[in-house]
Amino acid sequence: KNEVEQSPQNLTAQEGEFITINCSYSVGISALHWLQQHPGGGIVSLFMLSSGKKKHGRLIATINIQEKHSSLHITASHPRDSAVYICAVTSSAGANNLFFGTGTRLTVIP
Amino acid sequence: ETGVTQSPTHLIKTRGQQVTLRCSSQSGHNTVSWYQQALGQGPQFIFQYYREEENGRGNFPPRFSGLQFPNYSSELNVNALELDDSALYLCASSLVVRTEQFFGPGTRLTVL
């Protein structure tokens, strides 16, 4: 079983729609990360959070430590938001590495 | 400020060969982590280097080895390449251990 599970695996939305991507994890963590990966492979860090909520432009990330759950929201989605969104966690024990979900492929249609 | 860079961008090797991938960390960052991402999968942790010492290793065989240099750049070496080693190899640097990681563009390795 993967330490990090994401849903949905694939998501298609119309431009302007509000989008939610969910992430659940099963290990104790020191931080949770939301990452964006475009075709070709480059990964961009969107958020790193350990509690509460963070906002950057049209992106909002929330985390509930007790429920071991995080959500990434995109308001007023745009075709340029089309990418794979990956949730990853830094375990609070052991090696200081990231455990990754398999990603959510988002396609925003004009 | 220069971001994380990796070289080469693409590489084709044959089974049994050896390969070296390189990563230059972001200025001021002393921690580098390496990840393998197979097609359609999330990245998997290979190992991490902090101030030239290995600081954690994932479930990869010993033929995956690494180095970090005094300027904090890093190399990933893979010996006796296998077909399953075909993947995107990502390097990420961070200011110190357990802080936000900044990723390079990756090296796509194809093993024939």
Side-chain angles (χ1 to χ4, degrees):
Chain A
K1 185 182 183 298
N2 201 9
E3 292 86 354
V4 181
E5 300 282 351
Q6 284 185 240
S7 63
Q9 286 188 312
N10 294 283
L11 183 55
T12 301
Q14 288 291 133
E15 183 174 356
E17 283 186 6
F18 180 83
I19 288 161
T20 296
I21 300 171
N22 294 300
C23 175
S24 296
Y25 53 92
S26 58
V27 295
I29 69 168
S30 59
L32 182 140
H33 310 254
W34 281 102
L35 310 166
Q36 181 191 58
Q37 187 170 33
H38 281 281
I43 289 181
V44 173
S45 176
L46 299 175
F47 295 104
M48 175 179 170
L49 66 166
S50 54
S51 65
K53 175 179 171 178
K54 285 192 176 180
K55 184 176 190 292
H56 184 248
R58 296 180 294 105
L59 302 178
I60 303 166
T62 63
I63 187 169
N64 184 319
I65 297 294
Q66 287 73 31
E67 294 185 6
K68 295 189 173 179
H69 181 270
S70 175
S71 294
L72 176 68
H73 306 285
I74 304 175
T75 61
S77 59
H78 190 275
R80 66 174 173 266
D81 296 327
S82 298
V84 175
Y85 291 84
I86 303 173
C87 171
V89 301
T90 306
S91 171
S92 56
N96 300 300
N97 56 290
L98 293 175
F99 292 96
F100 293 82
T102 53
T104 295
R105 183 174 298 278
L106 171 66
T107 304
V108 181
I109 299 169
Chain B
E1 185 178 273
T2 307
V4 179
T5 60
Q6 290 185 244
S7 63
T9 307
H10 296 87
L11 200 52
I12 299 174
K13 292 284 190 178
T14 56
R15 199 169 45 181
Q17 285 189 311
Q18 178 266 341
V19 69
T20 298
L21 310 182
R22 294 179 175 84
C23 171
S24 290
S25 58
Q26 190 161 313
S27 178
H29 288 189
N30 61 23
T31 302
V32 173
S33 303
W34 285 92
Y35 299 91
Q36 180 197 65
Q37 186 178 25
L39 201 61
Q41 303 294 316
Q44 297 288 319
F45 174 67
I46 304 175
F47 42 59
Q48 183 183 81
Y49 279 85
Y50 169 64
R51 293 190 172 186
E52 303 178 59
E53 297 286 332
E54 187 178 289
N55 187 49
R57 187 179 181 93
N59 190 26
F60 281 80
R63 59 189 185 84
F64 285 78
S65 63
L67 277 175
Q68 188 178 31
F69 299 100
N71 67 354
Y72 302 132
S73 66
S74 179
E75 282 184 357
L76 164 65
N77 299 289
V78 187
N79 293 321
L81 283 167
E82 299 178 1
L83 297 179
D84 284 349
D85 296 334
S86 295
L88 179 70
Y89 288 85
L90 294 159
C91 129
S93 76
S94 51
L95 194 59
V96 291
V97 169
R98 291 193 183 280
T99 57
E100 186 175 11
Q101 296 190 22
F102 294 84
F103 286 82
T107 293
R108 188 163 296 281
L109 172 65
T110 302
V111 182
L112 303 176

